[in-house]
Amino acid sequence: MNTKTNKLAIVPVMLCFFCMGFVDLVGIASNYVKEDLQLTDSVANIFPSLVFFWFLIFSVPTGMLMNKIGRKKTVLLSLVVTVVSLLLPLFGENFGIMLVAFSLLGIGNALMQTSLNPLVSTVMGGGNLASTLTFGQFVKAIASFSAPYLAMWGATQVIPEFGLNWRVLFAIFFVVGTLSTLWLSATPIEEPAIEGKPSTFVECIKLLGTPIVLLSFLGIMCHVGIDVGTNTTAPKILMERLGMTLNEAAFATSLYFIFRTIGCLTGSFFLRVLPTRTFFIISVVMMALSMCGLFFGTEQWMLYAAIALVGYGNSNIFSICFAQALTSMPDKQNEVSGLMIMGLFGGTVFPLLMGIMSDAMGQAGAVLVMAVGVVYLFTYIRKLQ
């Protein structure tokens, strides 16, 4: 196949990054489900935790599945599971349906995140991997920040024909997911043959014995914990301290993702012109300032500034940690990718702890849990190449 065809394949691949962003609807959706079903913080936080639980179970097996059926077919499988997860909430909003829908969303996203990043590496043929992955994160962030707006629009519009209210966002994402599946399936992508015998599950896990792989894994756990934590907790902080309604406070989630989007877009430039280590230090310092603002802030401007800072600061952490691990073991990229995506399990651990802490001492308790993740990222700096 010629190079031109391979380069054109980046367009449907980037649309898959948009579909990858569907997982971030869980933050605002769990707030609406909490309000509709009258749940406590710790019960409502089961939803985002459940989504990211499946990364622990499916990430490494997906890395092994890629070795058998290829990267493109694995991405297509992930899209099909994601599309089904978006279809279910259109039929109702009881606790059981939402549990199954969020579980399938998590399984589909675990498959997608594990297989899509190596597929980018295939299409790009190496070179500028960190900046290309960061651009993919920018595309993903467009879906992430549009979700709260779609939910707010649905919640404030009367749509009697369908009775979907805020769940109209599932219908819109369902259409995009279906389009993405059809486009990628029609796009030819030439994949490299697997050299030697595919790794077993135990061999994959043993790669965590490599220091940079383990430390990058923990870095991704903290990144995702802070990401899902801010996504879920920012509206609650505004409601607790400023007396906003959920529809007013939902803007906080969008603000976070707007600055994450700006961070991804500008980050793909800065990662080409600045040393990775320098840019990483700037990012983590912004996140530390943000935690101070979220913990102590009682004014609207201060809380908005803190949400913006964590959005920008957290936007490139994933790409940097992922690229560090992937380039450290070029002959084991599928397996390392599976391990790195298993780190998204941080999205289960953090919200559960944050739910317990916020029920005990208000939203400041949730911020303390995220601050622990920021402290770890400071320790990761010295390991950066």
Side-chain angles (χ1 to χ4, degrees):
M1 188 177 65
N2 62 39
T3 312
K4 187 181 175 190
T5 310
N6 221 30
K7 289 287 186 267
L8 286 176
I10 200 69
V11 182
V13 167
M14 284 295 148
L15 184 59
C16 293
F17 272 99
F18 186 86
C19 296
M20 192 193 282
F22 295 170
V23 74
D24 291 320
L25 66 81
V26 68
I28 194 63
S30 63
N31 281 312
Y32 277 106
V33 173
K34 178 193 171 190
E35 191 173 76
D36 291 353
L37 303 183
Q38 300 294 297
L39 308 173
T40 63
D41 263 352
S42 43
V43 173
N45 278 16
I46 287 172
F47 290 111
S49 293
L50 187 63
V51 166
F52 290 94
F53 168 75
W54 300 106
F55 286 89
L56 180 67
I57 307 296
F58 281 95
S59 300
V60 172
T62 302
M64 295 159 64
L65 179 68
M66 272 194 290
N67 285 336
K68 286 197 168 72
I69 68 171
R71 295 168 180 179
K72 178 185 160 183
K73 284 182 181 173
T74 311
V75 174
L76 284 170
L77 175 63
S78 74
L79 285 166
V80 170
V81 176
T82 301
V83 164
V84 173
S85 76
L86 296 167
L87 188 61
L88 288 178
L90 305 184
F91 295 104
E93 195 196 346
N94 66 53
F95 195 77
I97 283 179
M98 298 313 280
L99 275 181
V100 175
F102 283 140
S103 288
L104 286 174
L105 186 63
I107 292 167
N109 212 260
L111 292 166
M112 195 182 304
Q113 298 237 27
T114 307
S115 52
L116 189 55
N117 294 303
L119 188 64
V120 171
S121 155
T122 300
V123 174
M124 293 303 293
N128 290 323
L129 183 59
S131 63
T132 307
L133 290 178
T134 292
F135 186 74
Q137 293 296 312
F138 159 69
V139 177
K140 172 180 181 277
I142 297 171
S144 303
F145 82 70
S146 62
Y149 279 115
L150 293 172
M152 279 188 287
W153 172 73
T156 52
Q157 301 295 316
V158 180
I159 312 174
E161 298 85 2
F162 304 106
L164 288 179
N165 57 45
W166 65 270
R167 287 175 293 125
V168 73
L169 77 92
F170 286 101
I172 294 165
F173 283 171
F174 171 78
V175 173
V176 179
T178 305
L179 171 67
S180 183
T181 309
L182 296 173
W183 193 353
L184 184 65
S185 65
T187 304
I189 297 175
E190 194 174 88
E191 297 186 39
I194 301 296
E195 300 283 331
K197 188 165 67 75
S199 300
T200 63
F201 184 82
V202 174
E203 286 168 341
C204 289
I205 296 296
K206 277 184 180 171
L207 293 178
L208 286 173
T210 309
I212 188 63
V213 174
L214 175 62
L215 295 170
S216 300
F217 170 83
L218 293 173
I220 285 174
M221 274 194 81
C222 293
H223 153 75
V224 177
I226 294 162
D227 182 58
V228 179
T230 307
N231 186 359
T232 309
T233 303
K236 294 175 187 172
I237 291 174
L238 296 183
M239 290 159 74
E240 179 184 86
R241 297 189 197 161
L242 305 178
M244 289 185 176
T245 65
L246 177 54
N247 279 336
E248 291 166 340
F251 171 70
T253 305
S254 283
L255 181 66
Y256 170 74
F257 284 116
I258 287 166
F259 275 86
R260 241 194 80 173
T261 307
I262 294 168
C264 288
L265 188 59
T266 56
S268 62
F269 166 73
F270 286 131
L271 283 167
R272 290 171 189 257
V273 298
L274 281 178
T276 302
R277 187 185 174 117
T278 305
F279 189 58
F280 191 88
I281 291 169
I282 293 166
S283 298
V284 180
V285 167
M286 290 173 86
M287 291 165 75
L289 291 171
S290 161
M291 292 302 119
C292 296
L294 290 174
F295 189 84
F296 296 108
T298 52
E299 300 288 325
Q300 184 171 322
W301 70 267
M302 189 185 292
L303 292 172
Y304 279 180
I307 293 164
L309 277 172
V310 72
Y312 194 95
N314 204 25
S315 58
N316 296 284
I317 303 296
F318 174 85
S319 302
I320 293 170
C321 292
F322 194 95
Q324 288 285 313
L326 219 56
T327 51
S328 71
M329 305 193 79
D331 56 330
K332 294 282 184 187
Q333 286 199 344
N334 286 356
E335 293 87 340
V336 170
S337 177
L339 286 171
M340 291 305 102
I341 301 306
M342 191 166 80
L344 270 65
F345 178 63
T348 293
V349 177
F350 276 67
L352 283 178
L353 294 174
M354 289 166 69
I356 293 164
M357 289 289 283
S358 61
D359 278 344
M361 55 179 288
Q363 298 307 323
V367 176
L368 282 177
V369 177
M370 291 194 288
V372 173
V374 176
V375 170
Y376 172 78
L377 291 174
F378 273 109
T379 71
Y380 183 77
I381 291 168
R382 68 179 189 274
K383 298 295 178 187
L384 280 171
Q385 298 297 312

